[in-house]
Amino acid sequence: MQGVGKRASPVRENQGSLQNLAENPEIVPESATEIPVPEMFPESAVLQTKQMRDHRLFLKVNIFQQVILALIDTGAARTYMGTKVLKIIKRNKILPVHSNSSSVQLAEGSVVQTLGLYQFPICIQQHEVQLECQLLPSLTSDLIIGLDFLELHLISLNLGRRTLVLRSEEIQLESNIQTGLAGIHGPTESQLEKLNQFIDKHLIKQFRNSPGITHTIEHTITLKPGAEPKKQRYYPRNPAIQGIINQEVDQMLADGVIEPSNSPWSSPIVLVKKPSGKYRFCVDYRQVNEATVKDSYPLPFIEGILSRLREARYISTLDLKSGYWQVPLSETSKPITAFTVPGRGLFQFTVLPFGLHSAPATFQRLLDNILGPEMDHKAFAYKKFYVDSV
C-alpha cells in the first residue's frame, strides 16, 4: 500500500509504501544498525498524559481476589467479558460451560462472534453471586454487565445517586479514571533537521506520487439475489466544477484507477471538499449499496484506541495516499462501479472507490492483516473521515 510519509516540515511531503516493504523484504536491512535511527527526541518530546474521568457507570467487583471495574450497560441484553477476565478465571481452573459461538451486534452496527459461555462466582462488596457471561475477545471493557444479570438478581439502579441496590443494600457505583492525552511536546528545530536528513537518506527512495496496488486483498461487490443494474443520470455541473472533474478523470486514467466501460450500471459523480480546500472524487453509490450485500467486518472503537495510547511515549502517524485506491476490484465488480462523465462517456473503477458501504470493512481487514496480532499494541489503523491512517 502506498502511504504519505509526512515530513517534519509542514511544507515538505513525500509518499511511502507499506506494501513495498511487505512484498520486497530485500529493501529492509537485516539489522536495525544498517539504518541508524537518530536519537533526537529527549524526554522533552515525550507524550504527556493526564487523568480523565469516564462518566459511565462502573461497578467494582472482585473475581478471585482481582478487582475489576465492570461497566453497567442497560443496553446490553447479555453479560460479556474480555480477555483480562478470561485470564483470571483460567488461572483458577474455570472451564467454559460450552464453546458455542453466537452473533452479537455492536452499537455501531457491526456483528462479532462470542467464543463460549462461562460461569463463575464474583463478589460485590460482601455479596457473593454467580455470574454467567459470554467471551467477547474484542471487548474494550474488561467486563460488561447486561440486563440478564441485573434482572436475575433483582438489581435496581438509581442514576441520580449513581448507586445500585443488591439484596437491600445500596452500593455506590464508580467512575473509571483513565489516563488520557494532555498534549504532545513537539521536536525542536535541530531535531526536525535531523529527522528530515534521516528521511532523505533512508526513506525517500521508497516514496512515489502514484498510489500502489496491494496483492494482499481484493474487494468483491456481492449483489443481492434478483438485483438489477441501476442506471442514473449524471448531476449538472457548472464549468468550474466540471473542469475539476475532468482533471481528476485524466489523472485517474493515467494512474490506472479507472478505465472506459460498457457497463449497464451508471452512478453520478460527486465531489467532496476536503479540509485542505481540495476535492475528493467520489461517486453517489447509494442505489448500488441498496442492491448489494454489506460486509460486517468490525471497525475499531475510538475508546479502544485511546486506551492503547495511554502507555505511549511517542506517537507517529502514516497517512495513506488514496488508501482505497490501493485495493484492487474483482473483475466481476468493476462494471458495478461505472459512472458517467458528461461529454466523455462511461468509466469504471479498477480499484476500490469511495462511497461503497463495504469499503471501510475491506480496508480495515487489509490493515489488520498487514499489521497482524503481533503489532496489536504497537500499531493500529483508525478512521478519521475514511479508514486511511495508521
Side-chain angles (χ1 to χ4, degrees), residues 94-111:
I94 299 296
L95 300 176
V97 176
H98 64 72
S99 299
N100 300 333
S101 63
S102 60
S103 299
V104 178
Q105 185 171 14
L106 303 180
E108 35 76 276
S110 63
V111 177

Side-chain angles (χ1 to χ4, degrees), residues 171-198:
I171 299 172
Q172 187 68 46
L173 296 175
E174 306 286 334
S175 293
N176 189 19
I177 304 298
Q178 298 180 328
T179 303
L181 306 183
I184 301 174
H185 294 281
T188 65
E189 287 297 323
S190 62
Q191 293 166 352
L192 289 176
E193 184 178 353
K194 289 182 180 179
L195 179 57
N196 282 330
Q197 290 173 355
F198 174 75

Side-chain angles (χ1 to χ4, degrees), residues 23-314:
E23 297 173 356
N24 301 286
E26 66 273 9
I27 69 176
V28 182
E30 293 183 359
S31 68
T33 57
E34 296 183 42
I35 291 186
V37 179
E39 296 182 1
M40 52 189 149
F41 296 112
E43 291 300 316
S44 62
V46 172
L47 172 69
Q48 300 298 309
T49 61
K50 67 176 181 180
Q51 298 296 310
M52 296 190 305
R53 182 175 296 275
D54 188 338
H55 292 284
R56 294 175 297 172
L57 299 177
F58 289 85
L59 175 64
K60 187 179 293 185
V61 301
N62 193 304
I63 304 176
F64 296 108
Q65 310 305 314
Q66 296 287 318
V67 176
I68 296 292
L69 280 183
L71 173 63
I72 304 293
D73 188 354
T74 57
R78 303 294 303 271
T79 296
Y80 302 96
M81 68 176 181
T83 53
K84 180 177 180 178
V85 174
L86 177 65
K87 292 177 182 178
I88 294 174
I89 64 175
K90 274 191 170 182
R91 288 198 298 266
N92 289 273
K93 313 300 183 184
I94 299 296
L95 300 176
V97 176
H98 64 72
S99 299
N100 300 333
S101 63
S102 60
S103 299
V104 178
Q105 185 171 14
L106 303 180
E108 35 76 276
S110 63
V111 177
V112 295
Q113 299 294 317
T114 63
L115 299 179
L117 179 70
Y118 290 79
Q119 192 175 64
F120 49 89
I122 65 172
C123 287
I124 303 174
Q125 292 195 2
Q126 77 272 19
H127 305 288
E128 181 174 310
V129 295
Q130 287 293 315
L131 180 70
E132 184 178 276
C133 63
Q134 298 185 53
L135 172 61
L136 201 57
S138 60
L139 204 62
T140 55
S141 299
D142 297 330
L143 182 64
I144 290 181
I145 291 181
L147 286 176
D148 58 339
F149 181 84
L150 300 177
E151 292 175 351
L152 177 64
H153 297 283
L154 303 177
I155 294 175
S156 60
L157 297 172
N158 187 321
L159 300 182
R161 295 169 58 88
R162 298 181 67 86
T163 61
L164 64 75
V165 176
L166 171 64
R167 296 175 182 172
S168 301
E169 181 181 356
E170 186 176 48
I171 299 172
Q172 187 68 46
L173 296 175
E174 306 286 334
S175 293
N176 189 19
I177 304 298
Q178 298 180 328
T179 303
L181 306 183
I184 301 174
H185 294 281
T188 65
E189 287 297 323
S190 62
Q191 293 166 352
L192 289 176
E193 184 178 353
K194 289 182 180 179
L195 179 57
N196 282 330
Q197 290 173 355
F198 174 75
I199 292 174
D200 287 337
K201 182 177 180 180
H202 298 290
L203 302 180
I204 198 72
K205 295 178 182 179
Q206 311 307 327
F207 299 154
R208 62 182 185 177
N209 291 324
S210 298
I213 292 293
T214 180
H215 303 294
T216 303
I217 199 169
E218 182 180 73
H219 183 80
T220 299
I221 302 174
T222 304
L223 294 175
K224 294 178 180 178
E228 297 291 335
K230 308 290 184 179
K231 182 179 180 181
Q232 304 174 70
R233 288 184 57 83
Y234 59 83
Y235 299 144
R237 298 294 184 186
N238 63 50
I241 295 297
Q242 188 60 49
I244 295 174
I245 292 175
N246 289 335
Q247 291 177 7
E248 291 288 335
V249 169
D250 290 339
Q251 186 62 52
M252 288 190 292
L253 284 170
D255 290 339
V257 171
I258 60 174
E259 62 187 9
S261 176
N262 296 312
S263 171
W265 296 77
S266 178
S267 299
I269 296 171
V270 291
L271 292 181
V272 179
K273 197 168 187 178
K274 301 179 182 179
S276 64
K278 296 182 179 180
Y279 287 90
R280 186 189 300 275
F281 185 97
C282 300
V283 179
D284 185 354
Y285 285 129
R286 285 179 292 180
Q287 291 196 24
V288 171
N289 289 336
E290 291 177 359
T292 55
V293 179
K294 188 172 184 179
D295 187 344
S296 296
Y297 190 85
L299 302 180
F301 283 106
I302 188 64
E303 291 88 350
I305 291 174
L306 292 177
S307 176
R308 291 156 69 180
L309 288 176
R310 285 184 297 176
E311 304 301 324
R313 297 185 61 213
Y314 303 102

